[in-house]
Amino acid sequence: MTAIYKRELHSYFHSFLGALFIGSMMFLLGIYFSVYNLFMGYPYIGYALSSIVFLFLISIPVLTMRILAEERHQKTDQLILTSPVGITGIVMGKFLALVTIFAIPTGIICAYPLILSIWGTVSFSESYLAVLGFFLYGIAGIAIGIFVSSLTESQVIAAVITFGVLFTGYVMSGLCNMISSTGNLLTKILSAFDMVGRFEGFLNGSFQLTGVIYFLSVVVLFLIFTVQSIQKRRYEISSRTLGMGFYSSGTVIISAVIIVLVNFIAAELPSRYTVFDVTANRLYSLTDDTKEVLSEIGEDISIYVLANESQADETLDATLRNYAGYNSHIRVSYVDPAVNPKFFTKYTDSLVSQNSVIVENARRSTVIDYSEIYQSEFDYYNYSSTVTGYDGEGQLTSAIVYVTTQDMPKIYMLEGHGELAFETEFTSAVQKANIDYETINLLNYDSVPEDADCVILYAPTQDLSGDDTEKLLAYMEKGGDVLFISTFTDSEMPNFNRLLDFYGLEITKGLIIEDDADFYYQDPFYLFPEVAYDDVTEGAVDTGSYVFVPYAQGITVQEMEDVTATSLLTTSDSSYARNNMTAGGDYAKQEGDVDGPFYVGVKCEKTLENEISTAVVYSSEYLFTQSANEIVAGTNLKLFTGTLGSFVSYTNSIVIPVKDYENSYLAMTQSSITLLALLAVVVIPFAFLITGFIVWFRRRKA
């Protein structure tokens, strides 16, 4: 085998064919690499690789057409066939020689992500997964080309047939869609020849073992075909001909059956054993919270995707496969709107977009519109929308918890006293936590509703009426829970203070100024308080980031026998509260300022006769706003969901955060772009072409 390998490798590099293959591939790749990665700044090499796979349709037939056909035409194959080298060794030697030629440009491609990383963040796992898929696709095509070359002595016929086979695999996905948009037995059989579809599975950051097995199966199967094709010609016609023919056919059939079974078994395995997430942001992986939810599900759940399965969103499809693979009670089905356009009307009266998801069990159902699965930002300067986040797992886990929960928790938010309203990002978090959320005015109620799990007072700027105060006190004395968010105001708030006094709490006048630079962000009023570990702050603490609390007041706690106070957010010893906010001046401590440290977040539990009433108090109206949340990359939102989760069942309040989806573009200078484009498009390809031509020309003259 080694002798055959060296002979073939030597012949390709002395006939200009090897250099032509490498040079043309590097030239075309250089063009797309320059466009996508250099000029457009994309950090993923997969964009360029996916654009040049069509080159295989021409380059592989040209590379493989002579490997066996030429020797058969020139009768030199008789020398090899009568040599002591086994047929398998001959085929493997030739195959490995061609793989080596193909591995040279692939190896050069492997250097591209390393070079790009100089100018930005590159996900090496995603990039090299794409390179692996590219390499597997290429060697599968080479194996096919070798087999076809063994069938004929005409190089032209071998090239044309190989092109036809590879072209069939290239267009098979579209052909199956033309035959049936919903899929049938014929399309399932034909999809076995869909090579591009398998290759594309390597481009989305999801390592699919089934794709690796598929391409290796193609390689093994066609090499076996090649061996058997040559085997039938190695022996002269004799009484053994029939036996040898049967042996050859039997080997082919048995090999094909075994390989089909291996691929079938691999496809039937749960996705958690065959699909591995290598994306930088773990787009397809399920978080521990989701796994905990799924492990407790013992009832059947149906998930319907309003899309043709062949045209479904790839990221969402991979996520759904993870859910179905983790728990056998979850079944995912695709409903083609073109075939069943009114299917969704059984679940909602509103119009829903394609790729929307319906989650249903025997208890209830809910609809996740496709627009909720991706988070986008609109650029008013360019009038364009950019996808910044993927919320597939968050929405699906929330929906599953919703349909499996018997009693939904209820939170009431008060209005009528100048309260603020939560911004969309935070109200969406409430919905994802499967908490029923309603705004009420106590003026319209005789008491706080009995089904309230929590009442929220969000930064009232006017004092509560005596009647509203009595209703809230009665609610708290029965063990009701309250979330207080105070705001700085010049108005007197005696009734609001009565509610706080129920837990021994008091809000200091003025705003806190932080004198320790480690405890504020840019401005001494922009606090980075110390975060104490608690079930309320667990999500925020686990991120390892800060909680951003701008313009906060101090909270003091009076000792009470029946109240247990727990610090959540605390300023440093160097902080102080400025009482006279109209005095002006700098941040230096003034006469009348109150020394810290202060609570800016505290949890109090008051023991009553048969119940415990819990209050969580924060002293900044800006704490739960999108602008503050962005400063600390979502930690404030985690504190918000943790706070609400402490008032209701933990399982119900699970909120999976949106996963960052935004591409981090490369920041390259124009000179760097020009230099790299010149190297990729001109220098590297033509170095191989010119060198190969010189070697070929010298041998021709000699």
Side-chain angles (χ1 to χ4, degrees), residues 499-517:
L499 298 176
L500 296 177
D501 187 59
F502 182 79
Y503 303 97
L505 301 176
E506 183 179 355
I507 303 292
T508 61
K509 295 182 179 180
L511 298 176
I512 296 174
I513 295 176
E514 183 59 74
D515 198 36
D516 188 334

Side-chain angles (χ1 to χ4, degrees), residues 608-640:
L608 304 167
E609 289 186 4
N610 299 313
E611 300 287 347
I612 294 178
S613 175
T614 302
V616 175
V617 184
Y618 297 110
S619 59
S620 170
E621 67 176 88
Y622 304 100
L623 174 61
F624 298 132
T625 60
Q626 185 170 340
S627 57
N629 189 51
E630 289 174 351
I631 296 294
V632 288
T635 306
N636 283 23
L637 181 60
K638 289 183 173 62
L639 178 65
F640 178 73

Side-chain angles (χ1 to χ4, degrees), residues 316-331:
L316 177 60
D317 179 67
T319 303
L320 289 168
R321 291 180 187 276
N322 273 340
Y323 277 82
Y326 201 88
N327 190 308
S328 60
H329 288 284
I330 297 177
R331 292 189 295 271

Side-chain angles (χ1 to χ4, degrees), residues 512-520 523-529 570-576:
I512 296 174
I513 295 176
E514 183 59 74
D515 198 36
D516 188 334
D518 292 333
F519 284 78
Y520 69 84
D523 188 290
F525 285 111
Y526 295 168
L527 308 182
F528 276 161
T570 311
T571 63
S572 76
D573 295 340
S574 302
S575 63
Y576 49 89

Side-chain angles (χ1 to χ4, degrees), residues 3 235 479 654:
Y235 299 92
I654 286 178

Side-chain angles (χ1 to χ4, degrees), residues 24-81:
S24 60
M25 179 170 291
M26 296 309 301
F27 173 73
L28 194 60
L29 175 69
I31 292 176
Y32 285 102
F33 172 74
S34 299
V35 171
Y36 286 116
N37 301 110
L38 301 182
F39 291 101
M40 299 180 68
Y42 291 120
Y44 305 118
I45 193 68
Y47 293 161
L49 294 178
S50 65
S51 301
I52 69 166
V53 291
F54 72 88
L55 182 64
F56 288 159
L57 303 181
I58 300 173
S59 61
I60 289 179
V62 172
L63 183 68
T64 60
M65 63 183 184
R66 60 174 290 276
I67 192 74
L68 288 169
E70 183 182 29
E71 292 190 357
R72 185 174 177 182
H73 175 70
Q74 296 180 354
K75 308 303 181 183
T76 56
D77 62 328
Q78 299 300 319
L79 297 176
I80 298 177
L81 296 177

Side-chain angles (χ1 to χ4, degrees), residues 290-331:
T290 292
K291 291 177 181 178
E292 181 180 346
V293 170
L294 296 180
S295 65
E296 297 175 356
I297 291 176
E299 54 189 287
D300 291 340
I301 296 175
S302 298
I303 299 179
Y304 303 102
V305 186
L306 302 181
N308 183 318
E309 187 170 2
S310 62
Q311 300 172 348
D313 182 286
E314 293 182 359
T315 306
L316 177 60
D317 179 67
T319 303
L320 289 168
R321 291 180 187 276
N322 273 340
Y323 277 82
Y326 201 88
N327 190 308
S328 60
H329 288 284
I330 297 177
R331 292 189 295 271

